[in-house]
Amino acid sequence: MGNYIGKVVKRVEDPRFIQGKGRYIANLNLPGMSYAAIKRSPHAHANIKSINVEKARNMEGVIAVMTGKDLAESGLGTLPCGFTPPDIKLPPYPALAIDKIRYMGHGVAVVVAESRYLAQDALDLIEVNYEVLDAVVDAKKAREEGAPQVHEETPNNTSFYWPIGDKEAVEKAISEADHVVDLNLINQRLVPNAMEPRAVVAQWDDFSGEMTVWTTTQNPHVIRVLMSAFTLFIPENKLRVISPDVGGGFGSKIFHYPEEIIIPWLSKALNRSVKWVSLRSESFVTDAHGRDHVTNCKLALKSDGTFTGLYVSIHANMGGYLSLFAPMVPSALCLTLLNGIYTIPAIYGETYGVMTHTVPVDAYRGAGRPEASYMVERLINIAAQELNMDPLEIRRKNLIQPDAFPFQTQVALVYDSGNYPGLLDKAEEVSGYQAMRAAQKQARGEGKLVGIGVSTCIEACGVAPSKAVISLGAGVGLWESGSIRVHPTGMISVFTGNHSHGQGHETTFAQVVADELGVPIENIEVIHGDTGRSSMGLGTYGSRSNVGMAALSKTAEKIREKVIKIAAHQLEASVEDMVYDQEKGEIHVKGSPDKKKAFGEIAFACLTAHELPDGMEPGLEETSFYDPENFVFPNSAHICLVEIDRNTGEVEIKKYTAIDDVGKVINPMIVEGQIQGGIAQGVGQALWEHGAYDDQGQLLAGSMMDYAMPKAGKLVDYQVDRTETPSPHNPLGVKGVGEMGTIASTVSMANAVMDALSPLGIKHLDMPLTAEKIWNAIQNSGS
Amino acid sequence: MYPSKFDYYRAGSVSEALSLMQQHEDAKLLAGGHSLVPVMNLRLATPPVLIDIGRIGDLKGISSVGGSVKIGPLTTHAMIEASADVPALMSQAASGIADPQVRNRGTIGGNIAHADPASDWPTVLTALGATINIAGSNGERSVGATDFFQGLFETSLEENEIITSISVPSHGEGTGSSYAKLFHPASGYAIVGAAAVITMSGGQCTGASVAVGGLTECATKAPSVEAALTGKALNEATIAAAADAVAGDLTGDILSDFQTSAAYRKAMVKVYVKRAVSAAAGI
Ligand SMILES: Cc1cc2nc3c(=O)[nH]c(=O)nc-3n(C[C@H](O)[C@H](O)[C@H](O)COP(=O)(O)OP(=O)(O)OC[C@H]3O[C@@H](n4cnc5c(N)ncnc54)[C@H](O)[C@@H]3O)c2cc1C
């Protein structure tokens, strides 16, 4: 079927990006614009004794200076949390701190001035008198007796507890096991660092009572619901949220942020357009961070390597407040993936959600899934070492077999489809695994530290079925909408509730609609990121675009049905006898290809409207709301090769092979791009990135000078290949690709480094595996 | 990034720059702006006046004068990287500074005047025995690199002085050189940098000039290493032994940050001295 699906189609968005013609919020300049800057706390834990804004207010060019108290008194809401497991303790999160600081970077006052420079000058004139208090930054320490308390509402700094699985069965498996791997590990905190910093522009229209907010969000419709119902209380039909070109999100732009309350509030209060663009140094201390788990995990096995039980206990650092989806990440999005692609007869996982004096933590590329894979795949690798088995063989022994689908896991999910042995076979073959092992043996003989990393991963993508996510604790259903408007000339506008912030939806969604309707891709425009144009959507994260694409495929089906009815009427044939040729965009009578109508002719007929079947409405426009029956489950196997410099501890990546099953592929080039970027990001966590704090809650890695992002020169040309088992329930067979590269690569890289160090008797090091950490381990190993 | 307010002047000549400096207290010279502007953007520096020397043509370029090379302070890292007239050590080191954008704007004069302990030129110029030529209201003077670098962001430049050129002696036959750098994983600056200029004759080292930087408050010569090399037949063992002697040449505090401790830097400087010397000696 079709001319576009499965083919490399160049991204329609690239010409504007490459030429610097993208429309980002920083480029948006409205008449009468004013500029906001936010005074932020340099302390992590402090009482605000007093704030003196007089000097700033009196400065020439300053329009207004407001504090957290002013904002609270204006009756606006606090930032909501959209995932609330039973018994969660949910302290209110004010957009600006009122009398207490709970993380370094929280705003205390906001200045609006005639220029951004003046606003910055005025910030320097605001005097805040802090009483600095002891802070706690570590999730484990925060639950200890006597630790500084973050909120009165969360005794022992514990906000929630989320268990899943059969604890007794796992305890039994462990006590009866031939072998148990018991591992304490840290999945370190990361700072997302999207290329474009967050930004908000708000424009209040005093005549119509309408508020338009431009914000760098991955889900404008959700933000509008939240603004309307929980924070700004502006009627939803008077509120328009626009998310134009957005330069990357990686999860950090999902959440409702303080500035999305502060800036519209100021615009209305001052009756002026107000603009705020985050500085990079602000991004570091205000964009939700990722990961930060302290974990104990155990894998029970028989002596032949058969898995018998898995136990996991996580202390998840939530930061100073609960961000929008924060509690979901280490619980429902993490523990439900502990099953991996294996048969594990007994699984138990539990998560403590812990408050600390750090920037709130929330979903970051993979959101819980990389943490799950990291535990499972590290445990398996150590087990292989201890049982003297090849890491591929031990995995093979425990794989879920292709005839076992749908597969009910021990942790709630039902996997839709997969061929895991085929996946592993392909990874072994493409990477040249056996030859690498032979070469490794020789290199080890020469005293070299060479390591091969193996990992697999599975993800639950297209965060949806509404019933499933709500039963796990989510506050909203997660379906998607898609509308197709066929204009009289046959040109098509496609409206989606998903949002593209780098993924290339304007291309892939157009490919889908072009093939569904048999029209040239040039005739299609994909519109997203504007609540004033698309009817509704739940946004893009967790590879949710497959849900939006599926919605469009349903919508196209409705369009085809109507087109067929009209063609049948005009050709005086019965509807059952009509054939819709999706390659040509023609509808003909079965057996008589010459008795046909072109798609464009029918589109025009919907305007003239005099040749339609009796009772049919004119116009050609349809909408679908699609709530999938299940998640989709992409999976992957990555294998990589590293060499460690004994003298310095530096890791050199020699080779990287990624085999991913992302279901049916719409655009192989875009899929490969997602995998490649994902690998870089995962390797970044494994080797370099660390959002480190000191014990008083000062972010040590608060700039690009200190926070080590992955750099092209440190990476290699990846071998990227695929297997394909289409999802049986997604109308397009697609599964999702947004997070796969990151999930698999983090642990394959970690496993490679640990494999290289294994001859020295080093069992485990926590990420990031920096040169110094490795060098120290080598020194201490006494070799 | 919003620096505080400042006035901007553009100087057409060195003498104009000098007189502008005298007229405006606390004025700062602006060359490539790649060290100064970042600290202004963070408001860590708030100079009331900037004097842009960027278009003074006399201060830019590379020329050979007798047995040495004269480099204008406005010469960019990229120009040095591409030059066949500078000692090979300099083009090699230049290629490891940041990225092409920074190398196209950043200048050698600005780099050494800023005297960031993690930057590369101080170490390289110290090993090369360069001379810094300076003009001030009291006339001109010249300072050797070893005396020029005095500490963290500290040089022997007096108030209202300007670097007018850098003179670097050319190597003779039989002299090799190399710069070995341990890159900071985030900033790309040197955690440790080691520069070596080695003269060999008949398998013997007849001259050695070695400097290290990155880990100390400013670049320093490594006389113990030089002494351990000079007069020796160089091989892996003799070089390793000489490199280990660098420990005795480190003065002042050893720098550290949350990712790289002083202990690690102290261990690494030996490795990098060894690498620089080995490469310079062709071993
Ligand atoms: C992202 C990034 C990465 C970098 N990485 C490295 C690196 O790896 N290694 C490295 O060595 N450097 C690095 N740098 C610094 C870079 O080399 C700078 O260009 C250099 O340090 C300063 O040169 P400039 O011409 O930009 O000077 P400016 O920023 O214009 O000036 C710096 C200082 O020197 C003074 N000054 C300038 N010219 C003169 C003069 N002729 N006489 C007296 N005073 C003068 C100025 O007043 C100012 O105080 C990096 C910079 C950036 C932005």
Side-chain angles (χ1 to χ4, degrees):
Chain A
M1 170 195 126
N3 301 311
Y4 299 104
I5 291 182
K7 307 230 166 81
V8 170
V9 174
K10 281 195 185 171
R11 303 198 335 156
V12 300
E13 41 277 89
D14 282 345
R16 75 172 187 273
F17 291 152
I18 291 167
Q19 295 176 76
K21 290 178 181 167
R23 290 154 302 169
Y24 298 94
I25 292 177
N27 308 126
L28 178 69
N29 287 306
L30 302 172
M33 187 85 99
S34 62
Y35 302 84
I38 295 172
K39 179 88 174 171
R40 299 190 181 277
S41 169
H43 308 294
H45 190 199
N47 288 320
I48 301 174
K49 306 294 275 183
S50 64
I51 304 183
N52 186 345
V53 299
E54 279 319 298
K55 276 190 212 147
R57 250 181 207 149
N58 294 332
M59 199 186 109
E60 206 182 311
V62 169
I63 301 161
V65 184
M66 304 288 214
T67 64
K69 206 156 151 254
D70 298 329
L71 193 138
E73 282 167 2
S74 68
L76 296 190
T78 53
L79 289 151
C81 179
F83 184 86
T84 48
D87 301 328
I88 188 171
K89 299 184 182 70
L90 228 171
Y93 183 178
L96 288 174
I98 301 164
D99 45 25
K100 191 145 196 183
I101 299 295
R102 295 185 174 89
Y103 67 90
M104 168 193 167
H106 198 187
V108 294
V110 56
V111 170
V112 186
E114 296 294 348
S115 85
R116 182 60 183 79
Y117 286 89
L118 292 171
Q120 194 74 24
D121 290 344
L123 286 190
D124 294 343
L125 300 180
I126 297 175
E127 292 156 7
V128 189
N129 183 3
Y130 295 102
E131 178 194 6
V132 180
L133 304 168
D134 274 343
V136 62
V137 301
D138 177 279
K140 202 101 195 250
K141 287 190 186 141
R143 293 190 69 237
E144 285 169 7
E145 187 112 42
Q149 295 295 297
V150 183
H151 293 277
E152 275 174 24
E153 295 88 341
T154 53
N156 290 324
N157 292 321
T158 308
S159 165
F160 65 90
Y161 173 71
W162 202 91
I164 192 168
D166 188 340
K167 191 172 187 178
E168 249 171 62
V170 172
E171 280 168 353
K172 186 158 175 282
I174 289 174
S175 70
E176 291 172 358
D178 295 336
H179 192 84
V180 177
V181 181
D182 186 339
L183 183 64
N184 289 316
L185 55 83
I186 291 174
N187 201 305
Q188 84 273 28
R189 179 180 287 250
L190 302 176
V191 183
N193 273 314
M195 182 95 82
E196 182 204 18
R198 288 187 299 112
V200 180
V201 167
Q203 183 180 41
W204 169 250
D205 183 337
D206 213 20
F207 294 101
S208 64
E210 281 172 21
M211 174 75 83
T212 307
V213 181
W214 289 260
T215 178
T216 45
T217 183
Q218 299 176 216
N219 46 353
H221 291 87
V222 173
I223 296 301
R224 182 175 63 158
V225 173
L226 298 173
M227 284 176 165
S228 184
F230 298 102
T231 58
L232 293 173
F233 307 119
I234 294 171
E236 206 174 345
N237 53 351
K238 293 284 193 186
L239 186 56
R240 181 173 174 195
V241 176
I242 301 174
S243 182
D245 284 334
V246 170
F250 309 109
S252 73
K253 289 172 182 166
I254 299 172
F255 325 115
H256 194 13
Y257 278 102
E259 296 80 10
E260 289 167 337
I261 302 175
I262 299 166
I263 304 304
W265 166 61
L266 290 167
S267 177
K268 189 171 174 189
L270 305 172
N271 197 14
R272 282 190 69 164
S273 302
V274 184
K275 180 177 194 170
W276 170 81
V277 180
S278 174
L279 303 175
R280 178 63 60 186
S281 46
E282 279 182 294
S283 298
F284 269 96
V285 292
T286 67
D287 295 4
H289 290 176
R291 321 253 196 267
D292 206 343
H293 292 185
V294 183
T295 301
N296 174 253
C297 49
K298 299 181 184 78
L299 180 65
L301 306 98
K302 290 193 197 156
S303 53
D304 68 355
T306 306
F307 305 157
T308 57
L310 173 65
Y311 167 91
V312 162
S313 177
I314 298 173
H315 280 67
N317 195 333
M318 296 282 99
Y321 294 95
L322 292 171
S323 172
L324 185 62
F325 288 138
M328 188 176 190
V329 176
S331 58
L333 292 178
C334 178
L335 300 180
T336 56
L337 271 301
L338 288 177
N339 210 117
I341 60 171
Y342 310 105
T343 303
I344 309 177
I347 301 178
Y348 173 74
E350 60 180 11
T351 296
Y352 295 92
V354 185
M355 310 309 299
T356 64
H357 295 108
T358 59
V359 170
V361 178
D362 209 323
Y364 171 69
R365 202 167 189 175
R369 276 69 60 101
E371 294 90 319
S373 279
Y374 185 68
M375 295 182 271
V376 174
E377 298 293 316
R378 281 295 300 132
L379 283 170
I380 294 176
N381 251 48
I382 293 171
Q385 252 166 42
E386 292 180 348
L387 296 175
N388 224 344
M389 289 177 77
D390 182 276
L392 267 183
E393 284 323 306
I394 194 171
R395 285 176 169 85
R396 269 204 183 103
K397 200 173 177 69
N398 290 283
L399 290 178
I400 297 167
Q401 293 304 308
D403 58 6
F405 295 93
F407 180 85
Q408 174 65 57
T409 69
Q410 299 293 317
V411 275
L413 302 178
V414 179
Y415 294 166
D416 58 350
S417 69
N419 176 358
Y420 306 146
L423 181 76
L424 238 57
D425 289 350
K426 185 149 189 187
E428 176 175 21
E429 181 202 314
V430 174
S431 66
Y433 181 77
Q434 298 303 341
M436 271 199 288
R437 280 286 176 215
Q440 179 188 38
K441 205 164 172 199
Q442 188 174 350
R444 280 185 174 163
E446 293 162 12
K448 287 187 182 158
L449 299 177
V450 172
I452 298 167
V454 174
S455 76
T456 74
C457 85
I458 184 147
E459 189 189 0
C461 274
V463 186
S466 300
K467 279 193 185 134
V469 289
I470 290 181
S471 76
L472 292 170
V476 285
L478 287 165
W479 44 271
E480 205 45 70
S481 84
S483 304
I484 298 177
R485 180 178 299 160
V486 184
H487 302 285
T489 54
M491 296 292 128
I492 294 174
S493 297
V494 170
F495 301 87
T496 172
N498 283 142
H499 181 268
S500 178
H501 32 280
Q503 296 88 342
H505 292 168
E506 291 168 38
T507 310
T508 47
F509 283 34
Q511 283 177 263
V512 169
V513 174
D515 273 2
E516 292 277 358
L517 298 180
V519 298
I521 198 167
E522 298 75 32
N523 293 1
I524 298 173
E525 188 192 7
V526 177
I527 291 150
H528 61 97
D530 184 347
T531 64
R533 300 187 75 184
S534 306
S535 78
M536 184 57 200
L538 280 308
T540 288
Y541 41 88
S543 290
R544 290 196 78 260
S545 307
N546 70 65
V547 186
M549 273 193 206
L552 285 170
S553 146
K554 297 265 180 202
T555 311
E557 203 177 306
K558 292 186 189 173
I559 297 269
R560 277 202 310 271
E561 272 168 28
K562 182 164 180 175
V563 166
I564 286 173
K565 278 186 196 153
I566 298 168
H569 173 73
Q570 294 185 353
L571 295 168
E572 298 176 343
S574 76
V575 167
E576 293 72 43
D577 286 340
M578 301 307 295
V579 177
Y580 195 125
D581 182 335
Q582 284 173 236
E583 260 173 52
K584 295 198 185 122
E586 282 173 3
I587 306 89
H588 65 247
V589 180
K590 205 182 285 170
S592 325
D594 291 342
K595 286 188 79 181
K596 65 179 182 193
K597 287 281 169 190
F599 178 81
E601 290 178 83
I602 304 290
F604 202 72
C606 288
L607 169 73
T608 58
H610 65 108
E611 276 185 304
L612 301 179
D614 281 348
M616 181 182 274
E617 294 176 5
L620 192 52
E621 174 167 347
E622 298 289 350
T623 295
S624 297
F625 297 86
Y626 172 68
D627 198 348
E629 63 183 62
N630 191 0
F631 295 88
V632 287
F633 295 91
N635 47 86
S636 68
H638 288 200
I639 296 181
C640 63
L641 179 70
V642 302
E643 182 170 348
I644 293 172
D645 184 332
R646 228 177 235 280
N647 296 312
T648 64
E650 283 177 297
V651 176
E652 188 192 346
I653 307 169
K654 298 288 224 186
K655 193 169 168 188
Y656 199 103
T657 307
I659 310 296
D660 292 76
D661 173 7
V662 301
K664 197 150 168 53
V665 167
I666 305 292
N667 185 329
M669 177 190 73
I670 287 182
V671 163
E672 182 166 346
Q674 287 287 321
I675 297 286
Q676 291 218 9
I679 294 171
Q681 214 157 347
V683 172
Q685 167 161 25
L687 299 185
W688 303 297
E689 298 183 43
H690 188 192
Y693 275 97
D694 74 7
D695 59 6
Q696 285 312 305
Q698 291 292 315
L699 184 62
L700 296 169
S703 82
M704 289 294 183
M705 296 294 280
D706 307 296
Y707 188 86
M709 299 287 286
K711 295 184 173 140
K714 293 271 191 180
L715 300 166
V716 287
D717 225 349
Y718 318 118
Q719 281 180 294
V720 177
D721 209 332
R722 290 193 307 273
T723 58
E724 190 171 306
T725 56
S727 164
H729 62 85
N730 179 288
L732 294 162
V734 302
K735 288 186 170 174
V737 65
E739 297 79 22
M740 298 304 290
T742 309
I743 301 172
S745 64
T746 306
V747 62
S748 70
M749 189 50 57
N751 280 344
V753 171
M754 298 320 301
D755 186 47
L757 295 175
S758 63
L760 308 180
I762 300 164
K763 173 171 147 185
H764 178 77
L765 299 173
D766 282 321
M767 301 182 293
L769 297 163
T770 60
E772 175 163 3
K773 196 180 283 177
I774 292 171
W775 181 81
N776 274 325
I778 295 173
Q779 301 306 304
N780 295 336
S781 76
S783 64
Chain B
M1 305 301 265
Y2 301 94
S4 61
K5 201 172 158 186
F6 58 87
D7 287 334
Y8 171 90
Y9 294 86
R10 185 188 297 156
S13 65
V14 171
S15 56
E16 191 184 349
L18 287 173
S19 77
L20 280 166
M21 279 202 274
Q22 278 192 315
Q23 286 162 38
H24 301 282
E25 213 178 321
D26 296 330
K28 274 268 178 200
L29 297 177
L30 176 69
H34 272 48
S35 286
L36 181 56
V37 175
V39 289
M40 288 173 65
N41 280 340
L42 293 168
R43 298 199 174 199
L44 295 173
T46 54
V49 173
L50 287 191
I51 301 163
D52 186 354
I53 56 171
R55 299 186 202 196
I56 305 176
D58 299 350
L59 295 184
K60 192 169 196 158
I62 298 162
S63 54
S64 296
V65 193
S68 77
V69 182
K70 200 170 139 200
I71 301 165
L74 290 179
T75 309
T76 62
H77 311 318
M79 290 166 72
I80 296 171
E81 183 184 4
S83 169
D85 299 326
V86 298
L89 181 60
M90 292 189 75
S91 21
Q92 184 211 347
S95 70
I97 296 176
D99 47 47
Q101 288 92 324
V102 173
R103 294 201 288 274
N104 280 333
R105 291 291 307 173
T107 70
I108 188 169
N111 186 292
I112 62 173
H114 192 62
D116 188 322
S119 64
D120 299 302
W121 287 132
T123 310
V124 170
L125 294 180
T126 301
L128 286 170
T131 304
I132 321 298
N133 304 308
I134 298 165
S137 41
N138 303 325
E140 299 186 359
R141 66 189 182 100
S142 295
V143 188
T146 33
D147 296 324
F148 182 79
F149 300 107
Q150 307 235 306
L152 275 181
F153 301 100
E154 219 184 290
T155 68
S156 65
L157 275 176
E158 304 276 340
E159 229 172 87
N160 302 342
E161 281 192 326
I162 180 168
I163 299 168
T164 51
S165 69
I166 297 151
S167 305
V168 185
S170 312
H171 308 321
E173 286 280 310
T175 300
S177 63
S178 189
Y179 181 60
K181 174 178 178 179
L182 176 58
F183 292 84
H184 189 283
S187 71
Y189 277 84
I191 292 172
V192 166
V197 182
I198 305 288
T199 307
M200 297 290 287
S201 170
Q204 289 239 320
C205 172
T206 55
S209 176
V210 177
V212 295
L215 76 169
T216 44
E217 294 184 345
C218 69
T220 44
K221 279 280 250 176
S224 318
V225 179
E226 294 167 352
L229 292 167
T230 313
K232 297 261 165 58
L234 297 192
N235 55 40
E236 204 184 324
T238 50
I239 294 175
D244 285 350
V246 72
D249 294 329
L250 305 173
T251 50
D253 287 342
I254 304 298
L255 305 177
S256 66
D257 62 29
F258 81 95
Q259 293 160 102
T260 38
S261 67
Y264 181 65
R265 290 174 193 235
K266 268 167 100 167
M268 287 308 106
V269 73
K270 294 177 187 169
V271 176
Y272 279 79
V273 166
K274 184 177 165 210
R275 287 183 183 177
V277 171
S278 305
I283 286 162

